[in-house]
């Protein structure tokens, strides 16, 4: 069921974004009276699942779910159909139009994806506001992944700065470290301000060890749910019990309790809890799965969050700012894919599908869709042959030099670009398969 929910989110989101992307090309082409021969969701080599023709355009759905396309008359595209180019240019063809019009047709999809992302962020902020956990409200500091602990950070540290940047939102801790690659983190520990240096390859180690997120709000382990007929239930644990020690070892944070329970699989443990104002001691046998059958309260149920509300007018600049900051962080983090650790983490459809929640949530769906829309726009504007950015580069060259590249040059560049893109596609999805079978 989890797989189906994630798959449904991925397919619906990408289908929507692909249609809107291709619609951007389509609308600019029609604006400049360029004939669009085909408009397809997914690719359709050999046959189509569904198609119909209206006017000069064939609309359809292909069977190969690797994106979509519009086939514009008089243009060398993924189809590599150059027969029409042997004839004299017709007024309705792409090649017959001025360079500035061809440029707008090529970047139309990217423009639409950027605009769609901004509209979604604006709508989310207007309808739901933005709720977050201020870092100052993490009154007991944070708990760290083991990698951070190895670098000298300690559970209970209160973060002041990451590098030279002050952090307002707890959720920005990991993204700021990955984006900025700081050399140190400034924390308050036992009332003393310390600057803790980080290893030069700290981010590479984070990627290699999947230490994301790197920090969590430091909260006590307070029981929220007790599953029937599990060890905790049989021992008499109740909702709102706070675990303070296991086998005599104190557990000030939920991570401490989780670790000690996991490390005592199939063993009898003595657990001390606080119930209201009373100290209670219970014994139970941890299950083979390293669990006792309780669900803890989450940080937003314990710590004080802050919610910013927006009017319709104020949501517009706020949504645009949120979208541009998201794009900026994404671009900064791209540099890590050129490291060996980053290359191994590159994922295909499986990795993209995993960003969608396990249970259907429309708010999270639209947040993920806006993020994917930004990625789709940025990746397509890269100056790589076969991508929109690659075509745009040739047009810019023409506008500057007043010389149009030959059709052969564009054709060969298209072939090279397609080989590169399919190689990347195979590599990324191959990584997904390796992770699936090795994990």
């Amino acid at each position: 069921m989890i797989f189906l929910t994630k798959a449904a989110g991925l397919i619906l989101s990408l289908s929507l974004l692909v249609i809107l992307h291709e619609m951007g090309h389509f609308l600019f082409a029609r604006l400049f009276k360029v004939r669009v021969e085909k408009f397809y969701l997914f690719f359709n080599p050999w046959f189509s699942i569904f198609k119909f023709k209206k006017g000069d355009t064939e609309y359809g759905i292909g069977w190969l779910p690797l994106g979509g396309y519009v086939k514009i008359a008089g243009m060398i595209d993924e189809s590599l159909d150059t027969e029409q180019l042997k004839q004299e240019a017709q007024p309705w063809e792409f090649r017959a139009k001025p360079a500035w019009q061809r440029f707008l047709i090529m970047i139309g999809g990217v423009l639409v994806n950027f605009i769609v992302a901004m509209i979604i962020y604006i709508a989310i902020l207007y309808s739901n506001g933005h709720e977050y956990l201020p870092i100052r409200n993490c009154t007991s500091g944070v708990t760290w992944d083991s990698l951070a602990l190895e670098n000298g950070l300690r559970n209970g540290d209160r973060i002041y700065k990451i590098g030279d940047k002050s952090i307002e939102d707890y959720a920005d801790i990991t993204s700021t470290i990955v984006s900025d690659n700081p050399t140190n983190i400034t924390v308050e520990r036992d009332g003393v301000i310390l600057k803790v240096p980080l290893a030069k390859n700290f981010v590479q180690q984070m990627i290699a060890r999947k230490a994301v997120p790197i920090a969590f709000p430091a909260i006590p382990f307070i029981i929220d749910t007790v599953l029937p007929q599990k060890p905790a239930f049989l021992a008499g644990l109740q909702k709102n019990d706070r675990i303070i020690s296991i086998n005599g070892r104190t557990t000030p944070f939920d991570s401490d309790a989780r670790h000690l329970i996991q490390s005592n699989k199939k063993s009898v443990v003595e657990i001390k809890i606080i119930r209201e104002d009373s100290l209670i001691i219970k014994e139970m046998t941890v299950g083979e799965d390293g669990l006792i059958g309780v669900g803890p309260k989450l940080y937003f149920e314990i710590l004080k969050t802050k919610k910013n509300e927006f009017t319709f007018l104020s949501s517009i600049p706020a949504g645009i700012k949120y979208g541009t900051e998201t794009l900026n962080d994404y671009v900064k983090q791209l540099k890590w894919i050129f490291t060996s650790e980053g290359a191994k983490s590159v994922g295909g459809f499986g990795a993209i599908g995993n960003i969608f929640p396990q249970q259907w949530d429309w708010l999270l769906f639209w947040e993920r869709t806006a993020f994917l829309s930004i990625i789709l726009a940025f990746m397509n504007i890269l100056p790589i042959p076969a991508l929109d950015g690659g075509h745009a580069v040739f047009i810019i060259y023409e506008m500057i030099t007043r010389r149009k590249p030959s059709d052969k040059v564009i054709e060969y560049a298209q072939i090279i670009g397609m080989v590169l893109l399919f190689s990347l596609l195979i590599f990324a999805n191959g990584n997904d398969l390796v992770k699936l079978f090795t994990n």
Side-chain angles (χ1 to χ4, degrees):
M1 189 63 185
I2 290 175
F3 171 79
L4 292 177
T5 302
K6 286 177 173 285
L10 173 65
I11 293 170
L12 179 59
S13 178
L14 288 183
S15 298
L16 176 65
L17 294 178
V18 167
I19 289 173
L20 290 170
H21 178 91
E22 301 305 334
M23 183 65 72
H25 296 303
F26 178 85
L27 291 177
F28 274 105
R30 296 301 292 266
L31 176 65
F32 300 129
K33 296 181 172 54
V34 175
R35 185 174 294 173
V36 179
E37 298 174 350
K38 293 184 179 182
F39 187 127
Y40 264 77
L41 171 64
F42 306 149
F43 292 101
N44 62 319
W46 304 298
F47 68 93
S48 305
I49 295 175
F50 168 79
K51 66 180 179 180
F52 69 94
K53 191 164 186 177
K54 184 176 181 181
D56 296 318
T57 307
E58 177 182 298
Y59 301 87
I61 300 175
W63 61 270
L64 187 60
L66 297 178
Y69 71 97
V70 288
K71 190 174 188 308
I72 299 173
M75 174 185 167
I76 301 175
D77 57 14
E78 297 89 344
S79 67
L80 297 176
D81 180 8
T82 59
E83 284 302 313
Q84 60 183 321
L85 303 183
K86 296 176 183 178
Q87 311 300 321
E88 186 176 343
Q90 300 299 314
W92 62 79
E93 290 186 333
F94 178 81
R95 57 180 171 156
K97 300 300 179 180
W100 68 271
Q101 292 185 5
R102 286 183 277 122
F103 180 78
L104 289 176
I105 292 171
M106 288 317 309
I107 67 168
V110 169
L111 286 175
V112 167
N113 281 130
F114 273 124
I115 292 170
V116 165
M118 300 306 169
I119 290 174
I120 294 175
Y121 284 133
I122 290 168
I124 289 173
L125 292 180
Y126 174 63
S127 60
N128 294 279
H130 175 55
E131 186 172 10
Y132 68 99
L133 174 63
I135 195 70
R136 62 179 177 274
N137 289 359
C138 293
T139 51
S140 298
V142 299
T143 57
W144 298 97
D145 181 86
S146 59
L147 172 63
L149 297 176
E150 292 167 12
N151 275 259
L153 292 157
R154 295 289 179 267
N155 290 336
D157 286 345
R158 300 187 65 181
I159 297 175
Y160 266 47
K161 286 185 177 181
I162 296 177
D164 296 323
K165 183 181 291 185
S166 297
I167 299 297
E168 164 66 13
D169 185 351
Y170 147 75
D172 292 337
I173 294 173
T174 298
S175 61
T176 300
I177 292 173
V178 176
S179 297
D180 296 353
N181 192 26
T183 58
N184 59 74
I185 296 179
T186 303
V187 301
E188 178 190 346
R189 183 183 302 165
D190 299 326
V192 179
I193 303 298
L194 300 172
K195 185 176 286 189
V196 181
L198 300 177
K200 289 184 178 180
N201 64 340
F202 185 78
V203 176
Q204 289 99 312
Q205 291 184 63
M206 282 179 62
I207 297 170
R209 292 169 56 165
K210 300 181 177 64
V212 177
I214 193 69
F216 308 83
I219 54 174
F221 195 110
I222 300 176
I223 295 174
D224 183 59
T225 55
V226 181
L227 299 180
Q229 305 308 314
K230 295 293 184 180
F233 175 87
L234 298 175
L237 267 60
Q238 300 177 11
K239 181 174 181 175
N240 293 323
D241 286 348
R242 177 161 62 92
I243 298 176
I244 61 170
S245 80
I246 297 175
N247 287 344
R249 296 179 62 179
T250 58
T251 55
F253 308 123
D254 62 342
S255 57
D256 300 319
R258 292 173 192 269
H259 172 71
L260 287 173
I261 292 171
Q262 277 282 332
S263 60
N264 281 280
K265 295 178 181 179
K266 298 189 289 185
S267 300
V268 176
V269 293
E270 179 190 84
I271 297 181
K272 290 183 180 180
I273 61 171
I274 297 293
R275 180 178 298 166
E276 296 179 346
D277 294 325
S278 302
L279 173 65
I280 299 173
I281 300 176
K282 298 285 187 178
E283 285 191 351
M284 67 195 72
T285 301
V286 179
E288 293 183 0
D289 54 4
L291 302 173
I292 59 173
V294 296
K297 289 191 174 182
L298 304 177
Y299 74 83
F300 50 79
E301 300 174 283
I302 299 174
L303 302 175
K304 186 177 181 180
T305 60
K306 180 179 179 180
K307 187 171 185 178
N308 293 330
E309 303 282 359
F310 298 91
T311 64
F312 176 73
L313 290 179
S314 65
S315 68
I316 296 174
I320 293 173
K321 179 183 178 185
Y322 190 87
T324 53
E325 287 176 349
T326 301
L327 172 62
N328 183 56
D329 285 344
Y330 176 73
V331 173
K332 282 184 176 181
Q333 293 172 20
L334 270 182
K335 61 180 176 285
W336 299 114
I337 69 172
F338 299 104
T339 64
S340 60
E341 297 85 1
K344 293 175 185 176
S345 71
V346 172
F349 293 115
I352 298 172
N354 276 329
I355 73 173
F356 288 90
Q358 296 181 3
Q359 294 181 325
W360 193 266
D361 184 308
W362 279 109
L363 176 60
L364 290 178
F365 169 80
W366 287 115
E367 285 181 348
R368 303 302 190 265
T369 298
F371 178 61
L372 288 179
S373 193
I374 283 179
I375 293 177
L376 185 61
F378 178 77
M379 297 304 292
N380 267 282
I381 203 61
L382 291 176
I384 298 173
L387 292 178
D388 297 343
H391 289 287
V393 165
F394 282 121
I395 298 174
I396 292 171
Y397 169 82
E398 177 186 345
M399 294 168 72
I400 293 173
T401 65
R402 306 294 181 180
R403 294 198 307 271
K404 189 175 181 179
S406 72
D407 291 337
K408 277 297 179 185
V409 168
I410 297 176
E411 181 183 350
Y412 291 146
Q414 186 78 10
I415 293 171
I416 292 170
M418 289 175 65
V419 170
L420 288 173
L421 292 177
F422 276 110
S423 299
L424 179 59
L425 186 68
I426 293 169
F427 175 76
N429 286 283
N431 270 352
D432 282 348
L433 291 175
V434 169
K435 293 170 190 173
L436 177 65
F437 289 111
T438 58
N439 289 335

